[in-house]
Amino acid sequence: MINQHLDTIILLSGVLFTIGVLGVLTRKNAITIFMSVELMLNSVNLALIAFSRLHNDVTGQMLVIFVMAIAAAEVAVGLAIVISIFRNRQTANVNEINLLRW
Amino acid sequence: MIFDIVIYTVVFLAIASGILVVTGKSPVTSALALVFNFFCIAFLYLLMEAQFLAAIQVIVYAGAIMVLFLFVIMLLNLQEDITLLESFDLKKGLMVLIAAGFLLQVLYILSLQLPGWSSSPVAGQDFPDLGTAEAIGKALFTRFVFPFEMITVVLLAAVVGAVVLARKKVEND
């Protein structure tokens, strides 16, 4: 039954990825930017599972597991960096974090 | 028919909560919308018979990662952010254009590839045991055992890095 809707799901994946891109580009708060990145990773997972279903192949689901593990690692390190920066400069606004700007 | 309605409702809810993540005023609003979005996506995984990954999605994403986000939000005491709609200038318009470019790419690829999907021989069948824990475990510990081990190394490095970064500096020890 779901097979007729796989193109809808791929389209949803594209729309969610676009929303994530918009969030990463326009938000100023570092934590909201991280959340938008999570949104993008999830949309990619959705597309991978749809393709895995389409081809009756478990490889796509393996890739989803690896993406999830890397996302968890990325969130742990990224939020630690945010906390560290906030402790030193009292802000999480990416416009004011310009220490490495050329 | 009912199945169609369910699918389109979930897709609509996922898009609406995704938009709320980006346009929400406070980070807490964004985080809660993101949790809702994760549940919608987990439901879609279930419909695509990826039961194991649906469970993992709820446990790891909606559980562990979002708790981490909420902890940090509460810890940092952030003030309200200026959102996309309140201060719309030329720079943000350019960024909306870039995002629209992404969407156009996806639509273009869809228009190239998708029409033949429903009639392809594989698409009509049902695969009852594609996403069970048994099938995933078999693949994970045979063909994909080396990437699996590498993931453990990456996670260890991430944990050590997070501890080192978030640790408070010890003065004159």
Side-chain angles (χ1 to χ4, degrees):
Chain A
M1 276 197 295
I2 189 75
N3 293 306
Q4 279 76 42
H5 293 285
L6 284 181
D7 47 355
T8 312
I9 287 175
I10 298 291
L11 189 62
L12 169 68
S13 162
V15 171
L16 283 182
F17 193 88
T18 309
I19 294 171
V21 169
L22 197 58
V24 169
L25 287 177
T26 55
R27 295 310 292 258
K28 298 273 180 278
N29 189 332
I31 293 177
T32 323
I33 289 178
F34 268 120
M35 286 190 220
S36 302
V37 172
E38 292 299 312
L39 207 59
M40 289 160 75
L41 289 168
N42 259 282
S43 75
V44 172
N45 284 350
L46 198 60
L48 280 173
I49 289 192
F51 286 130
S52 156
R53 165 87 188 164
L54 180 74
H55 293 288
N56 192 19
D57 186 8
V58 83
T59 309
Q61 306 200 355
M62 293 295 109
L63 284 174
V64 170
I65 289 181
F66 297 139
V67 168
M68 279 181 182
I70 296 296
E74 171 249 331
V75 166
V77 175
L79 289 179
I81 291 175
V82 169
I83 286 183
S84 175
I85 287 174
F86 190 83
R87 187 178 287 144
N88 287 323
R89 326 194 103 206
Q90 305 299 317
T91 180
N93 187 331
V94 289
N95 279 5
E96 295 168 31
I97 305 168
N98 51 11
L99 202 65
L100 292 178
R101 188 173 281 176
W102 185 50
Chain B
M1 188 59 203
I2 294 175
F3 192 73
D4 290 3
I5 295 172
V6 170
I7 288 262
Y8 287 123
T9 311
V10 173
V11 166
F12 173 76
L13 286 176
I15 292 177
S17 59
I19 290 174
L20 190 58
V21 170
V22 172
T23 58
K25 222 173 160 66
S26 98
V28 179
T29 318
S30 297
L32 293 179
L34 194 57
V35 171
F36 189 76
N37 194 25
F38 286 163
F39 274 108
C40 290
I41 289 177
F43 186 72
L44 287 178
Y45 287 0
L46 265 186
L47 292 182
M48 285 190 281
E49 285 163 18
Q51 304 96 329
F52 183 71
L53 283 174
I56 293 291
Q57 168 89 3
V58 172
I59 293 169
V60 173
Y61 264 122
I65 290 183
M66 290 320 294
V67 166
L68 203 58
F69 268 115
L70 280 177
F71 262 160
V72 174
I73 291 169
M74 304 296 176
L75 214 59
L76 293 194
N77 184 26
L78 296 168
Q79 66 276 30
E80 302 223 317
D81 202 1
I82 302 152
T83 55
L84 177 66
L85 302 174
E86 282 171 45
S87 65
F88 198 85
D89 55 0
L90 199 66
K91 215 165 146 193
K92 283 190 177 171
L94 185 69
M95 285 156 180
V96 171
L97 273 183
I98 293 173
F102 269 100
L103 188 61
L104 279 181
Q105 281 186 358
V106 173
L107 288 178
Y108 177 67
I109 294 169
L110 283 179
S111 69
L112 282 184
Q113 292 292 334
L114 283 188
W117 272 30
S118 307
S119 59
S120 77
V122 189
Q125 302 164 10
D126 278 330
F127 315 115
D129 56 350
L130 181 61
T132 57
E134 188 189 352
I136 300 246
K138 252 182 200 159
L140 199 58
F141 290 108
T142 52
R143 270 180 69 197
F144 295 92
V145 70
F146 183 68
F148 177 73
E149 297 292 343
M150 283 302 103
I151 283 293
T152 63
V153 177
V154 170
L155 282 177
L156 180 67
V159 168
V160 173
V163 169
V164 169
L165 281 171
R167 175 191 58 166
K168 202 160 185 161
K169 292 276 183 299
V170 183
E171 303 283 325
N172 34 310
D173 50 327

